[in-house]
Amino acid sequence: MDPSRRAPRAVIDPIPKIRQVGFFAPPERSQSGPPDPTHSSPPISSSLSPVMIPPPRHLSDNLLLHAPRPASSPLSAAAAAGGSGNSFDYGAVFFPAPLSPAIPSSSYSSRIIATTGEGGFFKGNGAGGGKVAASSFPRGGFDLTAMKKAAAASVVVPASELTTVSVVNDSLGIPEKEKGNKAGGSAVEVKDQPNSSKQQKPKLSKAERRALQESQRAAKAAAKGEGSKASGTVATMNAKPAKAVKPAQKVDNAAVAASEKKGGEIPPEKDRKKDAPQPRMQYDDKSRVEKAKRRAVVKQTEARNRVELFRHLPQYEHGSQLPDLEAKFFHLSPVHPSVYKVGLQYLTGDIAGGNARCIAMLQAFQEAIKDYKVPHEKTLVRDLTAKISSYVSFLIECRPLSISMGNAIRFLKSHIAKLPLTLSESEAKASLQSDIERFISEKIILANKVIVKHAVTKIRDGDVLLTYGSSSAVEMILLHAHELGKQFRVVVVDSRPKLRGQLLLRRLVEKGLSCTYTHINAVSYIMHEVTRVFLGASAVLSNGTVYSRVGTACVAMVAHAFRVPVIVCCEAYKFHERVQLDSICSNELGNPDVISNVLGREDVKHLDGWANIENLQLLNLVYDATPSDYVSMIVTDYGMVPPTSVPVIVREYGREQVWI
Amino acid sequence: MWWRSASFIMDRQRNEEADLKGDSSNPNPNPNISAYYETRAAHHGVVTSDWLAQAQAAIGPDPVPDPNPEPEPQLRPDPDKPFSVIDEFNSWRKQPHLAEAVAAIRALAAVIRSSKATTMMQLEIELKKASDFLKSWDTTSISLTAGCDLFMRYVTRTSALEYEDFNSAKSRLIERAEKFGEISYKARKVIAMLSQDFIFDGCTILVHGFSRVVFEVLKLAAQNNKLFRVFCTEGRPDRTGLRLSNELAKLDVSVKLLIDSAVAYTMDEVDMVFVGADGVVESGGIINMMGTYQIALVAHSMNKPVYVAAESYKFARLYPLDQKDLAPALRPIDFGVPIPSKVEVERSARDYTPPQYLTLLFTDLGVLTPSVVSDELIQLYL
């Protein structure tokens, strides 16, 4: 009886806040007008995804969480199923706006919660946030806003418990409709994720408030305090906080048997594979136990060998995701099969490179939009945007987005938002598909042709051109110059672990180009005979920084020291208004096992079992940042520009995007 | 190092053969010598070896020597054509104070006035042909090419043309053409006004080449009763420094003449360097008379500011990466003694100065940093 009494008290407190927020929402909208929401939401999603992956997930989860909340009050009033459908739309319309007014009221409490929370987890986030704020001012603003929103959402956590119960009732109450079950399943999946992180924060605040009343809570808070104090690089100490968390959650969730089981599974889901195993909750106990064991194994390896400098980036065991996803390929899933397939290809590395990944993603979205049906009582604009967001979350789990993909997603979402309401469903879908097709043909394929036309003018007879890795734009330039009959030589610089230069080398030699192949450690010896350096780029940032595969900065700096011009070939849709001064704040971590093996040398096994050594961490970075001082020229589809003119291109490009 | 390789020498010989073949397509009868420098030489009565050779050759068939034989071949292939853009351009070009680009702009404006086209499409095609013809007259002149491109962009960049009848559209085009010519003509005075804030009493200015914009700047400073000293480089082989020092002496400005190799020696006395520009390229660098890069390097290493005075119609969408990235503008060089046939002479007339050695650009668009040049070009041509 005691737990049941506590639950209603927790629920009662946030209700007045929700009501106040609901009243405030309409006047804000009337003042800002329709275009502002479209502007506000896309930059957050696009700017956040390459920077910090956890916050955008929380945002999307919060949106989905807020939607069913109105259902609880209609259910209590015995509303009909149709009524609950309407309330879903109503909630979706209202709840995104209240997040902004909620922030100032809860910012102080969230900060208090953060300071008193688990030291290990929060200190890591704080350190990352501090670095972010120190290195880049405009991006710091975005991160702070996202962190505030995530923290603000945590304040409303107590209501979600009741919501979870009500949703379960919904799914049980309406077994006839498969869609209802799917929606319920996805809602449960989404809700369980924030529960794990949110339940910890408010408990601490409760402990502070009711320290005199509950001796047990005081004891638990003391235990957590000890955990935070003792947090550090020692592995044994890291195990204790995890153990302490589990029994606390179990005790809190004792009221409901189902929620108790979910609570037991929540702690190991801190990893980034939360979507994959969720459907298995419906399976028998054996598979559940097996999943728990696997998660424990993965978690242990993470705790031991995480690289401290990059704790703010997702570090998880490679190789365990792919079998799970492959096994569930033919199961029912909220992700469209074409998007699912592209995600698998990202995981295996079959699709690599900014352009290839972006084109594959857009084509998968085209397929998904073609098969899309507007649910009853929902508008295409909002439901399709939410569905695209879920697809993007899935792709982020397979591999973090590149900036080109982020810009493409922003483009797609802005076009969905701008669809006229008078269009029919088929007309809207056809319009979106043609927009995607035009984006691919104009911003990627045609842009590459323009870049080739510009860059070829910089190649003269007798030149020695150096390129690093494998860039599709650079390859097209070299082949076109060869077709024009220019006599030049190519030096292909390569580096482990991917050795992608070998693929480029093979293609160039087939076409009859005269090539030299070397590794990056010998670049200083070969640079004296080089006359031009051509590099590709994953992104070009506002301050002229070139964000490209790791090693590019090294090649550019050596070329600069030898007074060799460095030419970066990058499409305009890869330009971004972010400013980044180093390659630590934002990067992607590859599979550490790849660098412990030497390709073609199975006998070299010095690093076998490196995961068991506590003092050893392997770091496989994917990108680096080249300062603009080392770049002579950027060839883009707007011509050849110096690095100082990237902001002008970003501004003109952004304006042109609106015109489309 | 690479340009000493055998393949480069062979390529160079191949290019020379290609140059010989290209004679027929170039309206300039003597493509090995930049027409721009021929005009400058004619303006100032400079006697060159080539000029003497032409004069001697002219004495044979014709008793009177003709210093400007260029326009004649253009009239013969088109006897029925009443108007020739080249004739118009040459007549404007003869004025010594008129910039080459402004002459081209006025010639193109005359094309619009005298055009007999009846539709806007025909007029645009005719204007395009005239522009291309003018640019091919001297392919090495950057300001000529940039001026023509900017004129085409400026004049045709009006969306209202499609909705008017032809006559009013044509008159609007003529109006815009005249306006553009007027703006370009007054650019020099605007730059002179903007530059006065940078010239202070007691300063010493190093100038290189005879840039009419730079001369206008110094002239206005002298008229404003500022006391300053000017160091002129000799400017071989054109002796541009001698001409500039002569003009400045008439204005009662204190002038010191330096031989070209004395720049580093006197740089510690210099407060600023003023140079003009044949062209301003997209990287923010400038293309100017040979020696500018050298002076900029010395000034940069000794922390002296380098100011460039250039009109905005000299902004060109070029992006050279090094000195050899531009088509060479060759000119005759007279060493005073016969040169042995086995000796090779570097006859390029200009060099490229990268933007990191330039401090500011004084243009009629305002005082710009070199990085803004690309911004202006992007916004204009986008």
Side-chain angles (χ1 to χ4, degrees):
Chain A
M1 292 301 295
D2 286 345
S4 62
R5 289 179 183 176
R6 295 173 188 173
R9 293 179 183 178
V11 171
I12 290 170
D13 289 340
I15 288 180
K17 295 180 181 178
I18 296 175
R19 290 175 181 173
Q20 293 175 0
V21 166
F23 285 126
F24 289 140
E28 287 183 358
R29 289 216 165 185
S30 60
Q31 292 172 2
S32 61
D36 286 349
T38 60
H39 284 294
S40 61
S41 55
I44 290 174
S45 60
S46 64
S47 63
L48 288 176
S49 50
V51 174
M52 292 177 63
I53 294 177
R57 177 179 293 238
H58 282 295
L59 288 177
S60 60
D61 297 345
N62 295 336
L63 294 180
L64 293 176
L65 274 177
H66 294 312
R69 284 182 187 177
S72 63
S73 54
L75 284 179
S76 63
S84 64
N86 287 329
S87 62
F88 271 89
D89 292 339
Y90 186 78
V93 169
F94 271 88
F95 277 98
L99 287 178
S100 52
I103 290 173
S105 61
S106 62
S107 60
Y108 293 102
S109 61
S110 65
R111 290 176 187 175
I112 295 171
I113 293 171
T115 53
T116 57
E118 282 190 352
F121 181 75
F122 288 101
K123 284 183 181 178
N125 280 348
K131 294 176 182 176
V132 168
S135 64
S136 62
F137 179 73
R139 191 163 64 89
F142 281 107
D143 293 330
L144 292 177
T145 309
M147 295 176 69
K148 288 179 181 177
K149 290 185 177 180
S154 67
V155 175
V156 200
V157 166
S160 66
E161 298 179 6
L162 185 63
T163 309
T164 306
V165 174
S166 62
V167 169
V168 171
N169 294 335
D170 279 342
S171 62
L172 294 176
I174 313 175
E176 295 177 359
K177 297 184 178 179
E178 293 181 357
K179 292 183 180 178
N181 286 332
K182 292 179 183 177
S186 63
V188 171
E189 295 171 7
V190 170
K191 288 166 191 172
D192 286 338
Q193 301 165 15
N195 284 344
S196 62
S197 59
K198 293 174 182 177
Q199 286 179 0
Q200 302 166 16
K201 304 175 183 178
K203 290 171 187 175
L204 296 176
S205 63
K206 292 177 184 178
E208 291 175 356
R209 296 173 187 172
R210 305 176 182 178
L212 298 179
Q213 302 174 4
E214 300 288 342
S215 61
Q216 289 182 358
R217 292 191 177 179
K220 294 171 187 175
K224 292 178 182 177
E226 290 176 358
S228 64
K229 292 177 181 177
S231 68
T233 57
V234 182
T236 54
M237 297 306 295
N238 289 337
K240 291 184 179 180
K243 293 179 181 178
V245 169
K246 293 181 181 179
Q249 293 179 1
K250 290 180 180 177
V251 171
D252 292 334
N253 296 322
V256 182
S259 61
E260 183 179 5
K261 294 179 181 178
K262 297 174 185 175
E265 292 173 345
I266 287 173
E269 290 174 358
K270 293 179 181 177
D271 303 338
R272 329 219 91 262
K273 313 181 236 175
K274 299 173 182 177
D275 284 349
Q278 286 302 320
R280 297 202 174 190
M281 296 170 57
Q282 305 171 1
Y283 301 149
D284 51 6
D285 293 345
K286 293 181 180 179
S287 59
R288 210 180 302 171
V289 173
E290 291 173 359
K291 295 298 293 183
K293 289 182 179 178
R294 293 181 191 175
R295 292 180 207 134
V297 170
V298 168
K299 182 181 177 184
Q300 289 177 3
T301 54
E302 278 198 17
R304 288 183 185 177
N305 296 93
R306 298 189 65 177
V307 181
E308 288 299 321
L309 187 62
F310 291 91
R311 286 182 72 96
H312 57 289
L313 299 177
Q315 303 185 38
Y316 49 88
E317 188 78 6
H318 284 256
S320 58
Q321 277 188 337
L322 188 57
D324 291 344
L325 290 176
E326 282 179 349
K328 292 191 294 294
F329 186 75
F330 296 102
H331 296 164
L332 291 179
S333 170
V335 180
H336 192 269
S338 58
V339 177
Y340 202 90
K341 186 179 80 170
V342 167
L344 293 183
Q345 287 172 312
Y346 287 175
L347 263 179
T348 57
D350 290 341
I351 299 183
N355 283 342
R357 292 172 68 202
C358 190
I359 291 174
M361 179 188 73
L362 289 176
Q363 287 173 347
F365 285 168
Q366 267 185 327
E367 291 288 323
I369 289 172
K370 186 195 298 181
D371 297 336
Y372 173 75
K373 299 296 181 185
V374 184
H376 289 297
E377 309 296 343
K378 287 189 177 180
T379 58
L380 180 142
V381 171
R382 304 199 181 281
D383 189 69
L384 184 55
T385 303
K387 198 164 284 290
I388 294 287
S389 296
S390 67
Y391 294 159
V392 170
S393 299
F394 171 74
L395 294 177
I396 291 173
E397 292 162 25
C398 299
R399 185 178 171 185
L401 296 183
S402 65
I403 282 180
S404 58
M405 295 164 73
N407 285 341
I409 291 165
R410 194 199 305 188
F411 162 88
L412 178 59
K413 286 188 173 179
S414 67
H415 274 241
I416 293 174
K418 285 188 294 185
L419 285 174
L421 297 179
T422 55
L423 284 183
S424 68
E425 177 178 338
S426 59
E427 286 172 355
K429 287 162 59 176
S431 172
L432 284 177
Q433 291 183 53
S434 68
D435 284 342
I436 294 176
E437 190 64 38
R438 192 169 66 230
F439 185 92
I440 293 176
S441 63
E442 287 185 10
K443 302 301 177 188
I444 302 176
I445 296 174
L446 191 59
N448 266 310
K449 292 180 180 176
V450 175
I451 287 171
V452 167
K453 189 176 69 175
H454 280 113
V456 154
T457 60
K458 292 306 174 189
I459 300 178
R460 303 174 297 197
D461 285 330
D463 265 351
V464 181
L465 311 175
L466 183 143
T467 183
Y468 171 67
S470 171
S471 165
S472 58
V474 173
E475 179 182 350
M476 291 166 68
I477 291 164
L478 299 176
L479 295 181
H480 186 60
H482 184 66
E483 290 171 5
L484 294 180
K486 302 202 176 187
Q487 305 293 323
F488 60 93
R489 190 155 62 87
V490 180
V491 177
V492 179
V493 177
D494 212 1
S495 77
R496 299 185 62 252
K498 293 191 175 180
L499 296 173
R500 296 211 173 266
Q502 292 182 357
L503 304 177
L504 174 65
L505 181 70
R506 206 177 301 274
R507 288 193 288 265
L508 295 180
V509 169
E510 282 175 1
K511 295 289 183 177
L513 274 77
S514 176
C515 300
T516 300
Y517 180 78
T518 187
H519 273 246
I520 195 168
N521 48 300
V523 72
S524 61
Y525 287 93
I526 204 159
M527 192 60 76
H528 74 276
E529 49 180 274
V530 173
T531 59
R532 299 268 190 277
V533 174
F534 281 90
L535 301 172
S538 293
V540 177
L541 307 177
S542 221
N543 57 341
T545 298
V546 176
Y547 190 73
S548 189
R549 78 171 58 249
V550 69
T552 304
C554 181
V555 174
M557 290 174 189
V558 174
H560 183 76
F562 279 79
R563 300 294 177 192
V564 179
V566 176
I567 301 166
V568 172
C569 308
C570 184
E571 298 87 358
Y573 87 109
K574 290 179 175 173
F575 285 23
H576 202 269
E577 64 264 17
R578 185 157 48 106
V579 169
Q580 188 174 333
L581 300 182
D582 57 27
S583 52
I584 297 173
C585 304
S586 167
N587 211 310
E588 182 185 337
L589 299 182
N591 185 3
D593 292 326
V594 172
I595 58 180
S596 64
N597 300 318
V598 179
L599 190 66
R601 291 285 306 274
E602 280 74 19
D603 52 324
V604 179
K605 298 178 180 177
H606 308 305
L607 290 179
D608 271 4
W610 64 273
N612 300 324
I613 305 173
E614 292 179 4
N615 294 332
L616 176 60
Q617 299 106 34
L618 297 193
L619 178 65
N620 180 12
L621 279 182
V622 175
Y623 296 108
D624 67 11
T626 305
S628 61
D629 304 326
Y630 306 109
V631 177
S632 307
M633 179 171 76
I634 296 178
V635 187
T636 180
D637 32 316
Y638 291 97
M640 301 178 284
V641 301
T644 51
S645 292
V646 173
V648 178
I649 301 267
V650 170
R651 185 176 71 242
E652 299 294 327
Y653 181 82
R655 195 195 306 170
E656 183 178 309
Q657 204 168 359
V658 173
W659 293 340
I660 293 176
Chain B
M1 183 180 293
W2 62 271
W3 51 83
R4 304 176 191 171
S5 63
S7 63
F8 179 76
I9 295 175
M10 293 175 64
D11 289 338
R12 189 172 56 198
Q13 293 173 0
R14 202 178 307 159
N15 290 335
E16 287 172 359
E17 294 173 2
D19 287 344
L20 295 178
K21 296 177 182 177
D23 280 348
S24 57
S25 64
N26 197 321
N28 192 345
N30 198 349
N32 282 329
I33 299 177
S34 175
Y36 177 72
Y37 295 99
E38 275 296 312
T39 304
R40 301 292 294 269
H43 280 167
H44 303 284
V46 175
V47 176
T48 62
S49 302
D50 286 18
W51 189 88
L52 285 176
Q54 292 177 18
Q56 290 177 0
I59 289 175
D62 197 317
V64 179
D66 188 355
N68 294 308
E70 293 93 330
E72 290 183 2
Q74 302 307 315
L75 293 177
R76 295 171 185 175
D78 296 320
D80 298 333
K81 190 171 185 179
F83 175 79
S84 171
V85 66
I86 297 295
D87 289 339
E88 188 76 17
F89 175 61
N90 281 332
S91 64
W92 284 107
R93 212 164 49 87
K94 286 182 165 56
Q95 301 185 22
H97 296 296
L98 197 68
E100 196 176 57
V102 179
I105 289 163
R106 296 201 183 268
L108 290 174
V111 168
I112 302 178
R113 276 196 300 269
S114 63
S115 171
K116 297 179 178 177
T118 55
T119 61
M120 187 55 56
M121 184 64 67
Q122 286 180 17
L123 182 59
E124 286 194 9
I125 292 174
E126 193 170 325
L127 199 58
K128 182 81 164 63
K129 285 183 178 178
S131 176
D132 290 343
F133 198 57
L134 269 180
K135 286 192 276 188
S136 65
W137 184 81
D138 185 3
T139 56
T140 63
S141 178
I142 295 170
S143 58
L144 176 60
T145 301
C148 290
D149 287 341
L150 285 173
F151 179 85
M152 297 291 293
R153 191 72 185 179
Y154 185 87
V155 166
T156 59
R157 200 184 201 185
T158 169
S159 58
L161 290 179
E162 302 172 4
Y163 304 104
E164 295 178 357
D165 62 319
F166 176 71
N167 288 326
S168 59
K170 182 176 177 180
S171 60
R172 178 189 289 268
L173 276 187
I174 292 173
E175 179 187 345
R176 288 180 69 89
E178 294 294 332
K179 184 182 176 185
F180 188 76
E182 196 69 20
I183 291 173
S184 305
Y185 185 65
K186 292 180 176 175
R188 215 169 283 164
K189 291 185 175 16
V190 175
I191 294 169
M193 290 294 298
L194 287 174
S195 306
Q196 294 310 302
D197 294 335
F198 294 84
I199 300 178
F200 48 91
D201 273 328
C203 68
T204 302
I205 303 170
L206 174 71
V207 298
H208 178 61
F210 194 153
S211 166
R212 286 164 288 194
V213 190
V214 171
F215 176 66
E216 191 77 23
V217 170
L218 301 177
K219 181 177 170 185
L220 187 57
Q223 290 172 357
N224 290 342
N225 295 321
K226 292 192 177 181
L227 294 176
F228 58 94
R229 196 161 55 137
V230 176
F231 287 0
C232 297
T233 56
E234 182 187 9
R236 290 181 66 92
D238 296 342
R239 298 199 289 261
T240 51
L242 286 169
R243 289 191 269 121
L244 182 59
S245 59
N246 189 28
E247 298 291 333
L248 290 174
K250 295 176 183 176
L251 302 173
D252 284 333
V253 175
S254 176
V255 182
K256 177 188 266 191
L257 195 60
L258 317 172
I259 60 174
D260 293 322
S261 49
V263 166
Y265 175 84
T266 55
M267 188 58 75
D268 56 334
E269 300 178 51
V270 170
D271 293 307
M272 65 189 78
V273 178
F274 258 90
V275 291
D278 274 356
V280 182
V281 296
E282 190 153 10
S283 62
I286 62 168
I287 296 166
N288 198 32
M289 180 180 168
M290 178 65 77
T292 307
Y293 180 36
Q294 202 162 305
I295 292 174
L297 279 175
V298 174
H300 184 73
S301 65
M302 300 184 76
N303 286 327
K304 307 294 180 178
V306 179
Y307 300 133
V308 179
E311 301 94 329
S312 62
Y313 54 75
K314 290 180 173 173
F315 286 20
R317 294 215 77 187
L318 299 171
Y319 204 120
L321 291 170
D322 53 26
Q323 304 302 318
K324 307 317 190 276
D325 218 354
L326 292 168
L330 305 179
R331 63 176 168 176
I333 296 183
D334 188 3
F335 287 96
V337 295
I339 305 297
S341 61
K342 291 185 178 178
V343 171
E344 186 184 342
V345 175
E346 174 63 66
R347 298 198 297 145
S348 185
R350 62 193 180 192
D351 57 19
Y352 163 67
T353 306
Q356 60 260 32
Y357 304 116
L358 306 176
T359 308
L360 289 174
L361 300 169
F362 301 148
T363 74
D364 48 307
L365 302 176
V367 180
L368 311 174
T369 57
S371 60
V372 179
V373 173
S374 179
D375 301 0
E376 297 289 335
L377 281 165
I378 289 169
Q379 295 183 35
L380 180 62
Y381 283 98
L382 192 67

